Structures are given as structure tokens and as C-alpha cells.
Amino acid sequence: MSKNISIADIASALHLSKTTVSFILNGRAEEKRISDKVVKRVLAYVEEVGYRPNSLAKSLRTGKSNTIGLMVEDISGPFFASIARLIEDRAYENGYKIIYCSTDNNTAKTHDLIGMFRDRHVDGYIIAPPPGIENDIAELLKNDLPVILFDRYLPLIDTDHVIVDNQFGTYNATRHLIEQGYKNIAYITFASTQTQMTDRMLGYHKAIDEHKLKPNVKEIVFNRNDAEVIEPLTHFLQENKHLDAVLFGTDHIGTCGLKVINKLGLRVPNDLAVASFDDYSVFELYTCPVTAVAQPITAIADSIITLLLARLNAKTKAPVQKITLSTELIVRSSSKAK
Amino acid sequence: MSKNISIADIASALHLSKTTVSFILNGRAEEKRISDKVVKRVLAYVEEVGYRPNSLAKSLRTGKSNTIGLMVEDISGPFFASIARLIEDRAYENGYKIIYCSTDNNTAKTHDLIGMFRDRHVDGYIIAPPPGIENDIAELLKNDLPVILFDRYLPLIDTDHVIVDNQFGTYNATRHLIEQGYKNIAYITFASTQTQMTDRMLGYHKAIDEHKLKPNVKEIVFNRNDAEVIEPLTHFLQENKHLDAVLFGTDHIGTCGLKVINKLGLRVPNDLAVASFDDYSVFELYTCPVTAVAQPITAIADSIITLLLARLNAKTKAPVQKITLSTELIVRSSSKAK
């Protein structure tokens, strides 16, 4: 029994033509008037040697692999891990498998991975796109391959996407801090030109401007490594002792921020009020539970996979859909009134 | 430009034979004495129509897909998400892509997913195996497909695995609680017959027996949904007010346990000391930072991928390797002396 057994091997072992064996294994024996005796011989042999009909070869014939390519920024982050998991469940229920990978927000790596997906005849794409990947996405669309973008979008590419209302999310969180009496509110975020991050920045400024306060923005270079985030964050908080509140732009920045706050011995909310974009267990279980802008994870995953399955099953081309879901501000003690 | 363009289409468009086109695209033009003029015509046409050499077809010829199948229990858990991420990085550096999926610890689903991986000519397998999957793994090994098990192993299957010393991990954590003066120590875990969980149970009992204390064990039916874990856990803690310490068997149980402790208004460690298997940000950042049995995530991922790459590149069959890595007890204030 070998992993490399082919139709040719079976044909040769049984002194039959490859065509005959192929017709039998593809259920066309009757149509091709192949005798029952030959069919039984082939099926018995196939069982004996443990041959598996080759779905790769099948996908070459049919052009369909029942596989979806899912590209997230970083599978180890709680936001992307939860989304990936929910999409995988829904895809599996609908007969699709997921091939996933992390882009690291790296354009060259993403270009390479899209090539791999195309080579493997992936039926559809779900992508949290890094910057500069427009040409690759346009190429997929030109080839009638459905692409759903999520978390952020590419303004110059007209394809389906599912995002949240990032601008209102930070606007609402900042306004909440102002209403609680905080006046020196910092926004600490990753430096980024991507839509989800520029929208969050806009929302913060909008609330600050509306109340004629002074903005305090700290942008940190994106890094998966906690230590590389904690260091600049520590300096910023040490050098800006006038701050009375801080809004973190992502769950990763928020988690690192709490570690810095602990290290500096700051009490929340008395020394510094805190809120963060994204919500997960860390924020709920922190010493002083942290106010969070919660993304609707289940609804995001549902919208993405529903859109993609509709595209994959569509006989005709439906109009592009751009879906924006609302976030929810979960107020906890970390942002209570002074 | 079409996604379905094939060598046959190119041959037909240029009035050449498929064999000639195939030789050219596989770099064998010189060997086959095909004229430069023909080569240039084919390459120009290929560029014009955007044809991509088909790596599926190539993998059918060579029997190698440069893809690794990774099956974790649940990609949304922090332990498995971190391991998957590190393995993906190392695989990518070495020219391999990862196809991943979550098994949900479900035997039938895992059987189905292994079938999908085989159909796609995956070169090697990394599996956190659910119970009852022995026959499927044996079948892979019989077909010379390398399989690395991790997190838990299958005692009756002789293949490479990477695990941690689970028994010493819980033994050491329980002994630490005893040394701090706690006497009524509960062990709260998922009901399981898998090696990692039975070993953790053994370690707890060993320390309890050694000190002639009375064991208090609560086994909860495995569930990904927090609410289904929180409910039995709440009842158990309400009905066992004599407990002065608790050891949680996994990160998921530990996180749910902290939510229950908050809900019941218990103070840690005064009302109840706490320790948990696994370590992540939640435990470090909890009101009273939680003592944890940390698994060496990076070393686990490194050992797994190093083993698998060695198998994939080996000319001859090397002996089976079973690797056990040590855990580290990280003592924090949640288990301080009474």
C-alpha cells in the first residue's frame, strides 16, 4: 500500500486501460457499458490497496476545490483567532474547508500567499488586507474569484467587505471619557494608514475637537512582540504625567498598556482612567475592569461567510455589498467619573 | 484572461502540441531541442494571458505539495493559537505552507479532516489528537506520511510526539499550595481520558496523597461555550465553602473560574487561593495576579516543526522521537501564604 498509487498503477496491475479504470472510479461504468465483472474486480482491488480517489485531480477537472482561503493579520491575536474559528465552523457546516495563514500585515508575504492559494484552486478569498495589495486583489476579481475583505478595506477596490463603524466607536468612547470629567485624554495606537486605524483616529479627534480639548496622540510602530510595544508606551506615560485618561486603539496595545500601568504603579481610574478598542477576557478580569469598544465578533464572522457562500453559489453576479456593523461601548469601572 | 486556462488551451491557441508547451513550461525546451522562436512565442503568450503554472498538477506529478496539515483542538484558545502561529512562522521560513483546522476534540470530524488532508496531498501532519483516532493515524504512518502528535499522545501509536511533563506540573503547583498552608485544595478540570488530562489529575493526587490531605475533584463536561462551564463551576464553589484553594486544569477553565470568583465576590487569596495550568495575559493582569503552570510555548512549537522538517527531508527512516518538555511554575500573589 503506497501513498503514490495512481489510476495508472491500478490499470497496469489489472491489465486494463487507464480510461476504463478512470470511468469506473468516476461512476461512469454503466454509461460506458463496462461489464459488472470488470467493475467488481477494480473496486475489490481499490479496496485491497487502499486507493483514495484524488480530489486534487478532481479539482483540476471541475475547477472547484471546496476550499476557502482565509488571511488574517495574526492568528495568535484574540480578535483574529475568534473570527477565524467562527468562520471555520460555518464553512465546515457548508461543506467548505479553510486554508488559513497570517499575513503579518506584510505586502510581499501576502502576495506570495495569494499565489499559493491560486495554485491550489481556492474557490474564494477572505482577507484582512495589508496595505499595497490592491493589484493582487484586482487580479483575483478579474478572474471571477470572489474576495471578501474584512476588518479594513481598500478604498480603490470595489469588492464586498465587512467592517465595523470604527470612527463612531472611538468617538463614542472618547465622548464617554469627556462626560466622566476627564480632560487630558491620550489616544495610544499603532501607526497605520489602514482604514480601520485612520477611522479610529478620526473618531478620537472628532470628540476632542467637539469639546475644544487638546489632543494627545502616541503612535507606536506595529510589532507583534510585547516588549517592543511596552518600551515606547512606558516612556510616553512617564513623560506625560498631566494625562488623566487614555484610550488604547487595539486589544494588543490595550493589554500591553495595562502591563505598563501595573509596572508604573498607577491606580485605575484614580491616577489614570482607561478604555480600549476591542473586548476580551483580559479587560473584563483586570484589577479594575476596563471599559471597552466591543466588536460584534459573531455577527462579523456570520456576515463574511454568508456573503462568500452566496457568491460561491450564485448563478449570476449580484451587486457588491459593503457591510458596516456597529460596535458596543461596554462601560466598566476603569472609566468611572473622577 | 481566465482562471481555467490550461496547457491544452495554450497549445490550441498557438497550434502547438500539449507536449511541446508542457516541456517549455517545465524548463525542458533545450533538452528537447525546441527552437528559441517557439519558446519565445509560448512565453509571450503565457505572459499575455496571465497563465499560472499549476502547482496542483505539479504536486500530482511529484507527490509533494509543500503543505503541512495542522490540527489543533480549538484555534480560538490562546494556547493553540500561539502554537499554531509559531509553527506557521517556522514552516513558512522553510518553504512550507500550513493548512490548519480545529478538531473540537471530535473523532468523526477529525477523521473527515484527515481525509481532506490526504486528498490534498499534504506532506506531513501535526495533530493534537482527539480520542479514538488511532486507526486513522496508523493508516497515515503505514503510508509513510510523517505524523507529529502534540499536547497529548496515543499510547498505542508509535510515532513522534512533543508534550510537556503534565504530571509534574500539577504535582508541583499543588505542593506549592500545600507549602503555603492551604489544606482544602480543589482540582477543577475538564472530564477527559486523554493523556495530558489524566497526567495532570495524577500529579494533583500525588501531592495530595503525599501530604495525607483529602482530594476535592470537580470534573466538568468539555464545552467551548463559557456559560456551560461557568454554571457547574458556580454550583461547585457555592456548595464547597470549606475549600481554601483551587487549581484549575486548563487556561479556559481558569478564565471561567476567575469570572465565577468575581461573581461570587470571593477575594483572592484571602477567601480562596488560586493557581491554574497554562499562563497568559489574563492571569498576569487579574486583580490578584494568578500563579500559573506555564507551558514553554516557543520550545514546543520549535520541537514540533524541527521534528517534522527532519522527517520530510530525511533520506532514511530515523528512530521515533518522544519529547517531553518541562513546565515552569510562575508564583504570583494569588497563592500567597495564608
Side-chain angles (χ1 to χ4, degrees):
Chain A
M1 199 182 305
S2 149
K3 63 178 158 173
N4 290 319
I5 198 155
S6 69
I7 288 182
D9 298 331
I10 298 169
S12 151
L14 300 177
H15 305 291
L16 294 167
S17 77
K18 281 202 291 182
T19 318
T20 304
V21 173
S22 172
F23 282 144
I24 293 169
L25 295 181
N26 285 293
R28 298 175 67 192
E30 201 170 337
E31 169 197 339
K32 294 292 171 185
R33 297 168 187 262
I34 299 169
S35 79
D36 279 2
K37 200 177 140 202
V38 172
V39 171
K40 276 184 190 156
R41 248 177 82 209
V42 169
L43 295 184
Y45 182 76
V46 158
E47 183 144 344
E48 185 195 326
V49 298
Y51 169 80
R52 296 180 62 85
N54 192 318
S55 70
L56 281 195
K58 198 172 158 198
S59 97
L60 285 178
R61 279 197 313 279
T62 63
K64 204 159 159 29
S65 65
N66 277 340
T67 311
I68 292 167
L70 169 60
M71 309 176 82
V72 300
E73 186 172 296
D74 174 7
I75 197 63
S76 66
F79 172 73
F80 287 112
S82 304
I83 295 270
R85 188 56 222 272
L86 292 165
I87 289 176
E88 191 193 1
D89 284 351
R90 280 285 311 277
Y92 189 78
E93 284 162 19
N94 285 278
Y96 283 88
K97 311 295 192 318
I98 295 284
I99 303 187
Y100 99 101
C101 51
S102 307
T103 66
D104 272 333
N105 230 358
N106 176 320
T107 311
K109 185 180 178 192
T110 307
H111 169 79
D112 181 26
L113 290 167
I114 289 177
M116 184 269 285
F117 282 173
R118 288 200 66 182
D119 287 347
R120 300 192 74 79
H121 286 204
V122 154
D123 297 327
Y125 293 74
I126 300 169
I127 307 180
I133 205 71
E134 283 83 354
N135 288 347
D136 296 74
I137 311 262
E139 184 73 18
L140 294 174
L141 295 171
K142 215 157 69 178
N143 284 277
D144 287 328
L145 291 162
V147 181
I148 318 289
L149 302 181
F150 78 105
D151 190 55
R152 72 290 302 261
Y153 61 98
L154 302 168
L156 301 179
I157 296 289
D158 190 39
T159 191
D160 300 324
H161 71 226
V162 178
I163 57 167
V164 298
D165 190 342
N166 287 288
Q167 190 177 329
F168 186 80
T170 46
Y171 168 77
N172 198 30
T174 309
R175 190 177 58 175
H176 159 76
L177 289 167
I178 296 169
E179 283 168 359
Q180 294 292 306
Y182 298 101
K183 292 197 169 8
N184 295 298
I185 304 167
Y187 178 53
I188 306 185
T189 187
F190 284 124
S192 169
T193 57
Q194 296 189 286
T195 59
Q196 82 284 19
M197 300 312 284
T198 55
D199 282 350
R200 290 180 200 178
M201 182 70 87
L202 277 175
Y204 164 79
H205 279 292
K206 211 168 146 188
I208 291 288
D209 291 352
E210 211 173 76
H211 292 83
K212 308 200 188 328
L213 295 175
K214 198 176 150 283
N216 297 273
V217 170
K218 173 65 183 174
E219 291 183 286
I220 293 171
V221 177
F222 177 76
N223 203 303
R224 270 167 56 200
N225 186 346
D226 276 11
E228 302 292 322
V229 178
I230 285 176
E231 204 215 312
L233 230 157
T234 305
H235 288 154
F236 178 74
L237 288 183
Q238 280 176 326
E239 286 159 14
N240 289 278
K241 295 205 193 296
H242 67 293
L243 296 174
D244 55 9
V246 59
L247 173 62
F248 294 112
T250 75
D251 52 5
H252 185 199
I253 294 249
T255 305
C256 291
L258 294 178
K259 290 181 185 178
V260 171
I261 285 168
N262 279 3
K263 202 176 67 175
L264 297 178
L266 298 171
R267 285 159 311 150
V268 176
N270 296 13
D271 297 335
L272 193 67
V274 173
S276 183
F277 213 92
D278 295 321
D279 188 31
Y280 75 122
S281 297
V282 165
F283 297 146
E284 182 183 343
L285 289 169
Y286 181 64
T287 316
C288 177
V290 175
T291 295
V293 180
Q295 299 201 51
I297 305 274
T298 307
I300 294 170
D302 273 351
S303 300
I304 292 169
I305 194 74
T306 302
L307 268 178
L308 184 55
L309 291 173
R311 293 263 172 236
L312 290 170
N313 298 323
K315 299 273 176 290
T316 56
K317 207 163 176 172
V320 164
Q321 285 195 50
K322 298 182 174 173
I323 299 177
T324 302
L325 300 167
S326 294
T327 58
E328 187 192 355
L329 182 67
I330 301 179
V331 175
R332 302 199 178 98
S333 352
S334 71
S335 61
K336 268 204 295 219
K338 296 222 234 190
Chain B
M1 198 182 303
S2 150
K3 64 179 159 173
N4 291 317
I5 198 155
S6 69
I7 288 182
D9 298 330
I10 298 169
S12 152
L14 300 178
H15 305 291
L16 293 168
S17 77
K18 283 202 291 182
T19 317
T20 302
V21 173
S22 172
F23 281 144
I24 293 170
L25 295 180
N26 286 293
R28 298 175 68 192
E30 199 170 339
E31 169 197 340
K32 294 292 172 184
R33 297 168 186 259
I34 299 169
S35 79
D36 278 1
K37 200 177 140 203
V38 171
V39 171
K40 276 185 190 156
R41 248 177 84 210
V42 169
L43 295 184
Y45 183 77
V46 157
E47 184 144 342
E48 183 194 326
V49 298
Y51 169 81
R52 297 180 62 84
N54 191 318
S55 71
L56 281 195
K58 197 172 159 197
S59 96
L60 286 178
R61 280 198 312 278
T62 63
K64 207 160 157 24
S65 65
N66 277 340
T67 312
I68 291 167
L70 168 61
M71 310 176 82
V72 300
E73 188 172 294
D74 175 8
I75 196 64
S76 66
F79 172 73
F80 286 112
S82 305
I83 294 269
R85 187 57 221 271
L86 293 164
I87 288 176
E88 191 192 359
D89 284 350
R90 281 283 311 278
Y92 190 77
E93 284 162 18
N94 285 276
Y96 283 89
K97 311 296 191 321
I98 295 283
I99 302 186
Y100 100 100
C101 52
S102 308
T103 67
D104 272 332
N105 229 358
N106 177 320
T107 311
K109 185 179 178 191
T110 308
H111 170 80
D112 181 26
L113 290 166
I114 289 178
M116 184 266 287
F117 282 172
R118 288 202 65 183
D119 287 348
R120 300 190 75 78
H121 286 203
V122 153
D123 296 329
Y125 293 74
I126 300 170
I127 307 179
I133 204 71
E134 284 82 353
N135 287 347
D136 296 75
I137 310 262
E139 184 73 18
L140 294 175
L141 296 171
K142 216 156 71 180
N143 285 278
D144 288 328
L145 291 162
V147 180
I148 317 289
L149 302 182
F150 78 104
D151 190 54
R152 70 292 300 260
Y153 60 98
L154 301 168
L156 302 179
I157 297 288
D158 190 39
T159 191
D160 299 325
H161 71 226
V162 178
I163 57 168
V164 298
D165 190 342
N166 287 288
Q167 190 177 330
F168 187 79
T170 46
Y171 168 78
N172 197 30
T174 309
R175 191 177 58 177
H176 159 74
L177 289 167
I178 296 169
E179 284 167 0
Q180 294 292 307
Y182 299 100
K183 292 198 166 14
N184 295 298
I185 303 166
Y187 179 54
I188 305 185
T189 186
F190 283 125
S192 170
T193 57
Q194 295 188 285
T195 57
Q196 83 284 19
M197 300 312 285
T198 55
D199 282 351
R200 289 179 201 178
M201 181 71 86
L202 277 174
Y204 164 78
H205 279 292
K206 212 169 148 187
I208 291 288
D209 291 353
E210 210 173 79
H211 292 82
K212 306 203 189 328
L213 295 174
K214 199 176 148 285
N216 297 274
V217 171
K218 173 65 182 173
E219 291 183 285
I220 292 171
V221 176
F222 176 76
N223 203 303
R224 270 168 56 200
N225 185 344
D226 277 11
E228 303 291 321
V229 178
I230 285 176
E231 205 216 309
L233 230 157
T234 305
H235 288 154
F236 178 74
L237 288 183
Q238 281 176 325
E239 285 159 15
N240 289 278
K241 297 206 192 294
H242 67 291
L243 296 174
D244 56 9
V246 58
L247 173 62
F248 294 111
T250 76
D251 52 6
H252 184 200
I253 295 249
T255 306
C256 291
L258 294 179
K259 291 180 184 178
V260 171
I261 286 168
N262 281 4
K263 200 175 68 173
L264 297 178
L266 297 172
R267 287 160 309 153
V268 176
N270 295 13
D271 298 334
L272 193 67
V274 173
S276 182
F277 214 91
D278 295 321
D279 188 30
Y280 75 123
S281 298
V282 165
F283 296 147
E284 181 182 345
L285 289 169
Y286 181 63
T287 315
C288 176
V290 175
T291 295
V293 180
Q295 300 201 49
I297 306 274
T298 307
I300 294 171
D302 272 352
S303 300
I304 292 169
I305 194 72
T306 302
L307 268 178
L308 184 55
L309 291 173
R311 293 264 172 234
L312 290 170
N313 298 324
K315 299 271 177 289
T316 56
K317 205 162 176 171
V320 165
Q321 284 196 50
K322 298 181 175 174
I323 299 178
T324 302
L325 300 166
S326 293
T327 59
E328 186 192 355
L329 183 67
I330 301 180
V331 176
R332 302 198 178 99
S333 351
S334 72
S335 62
K336 268 204 294 219
K338 296 223 234 192

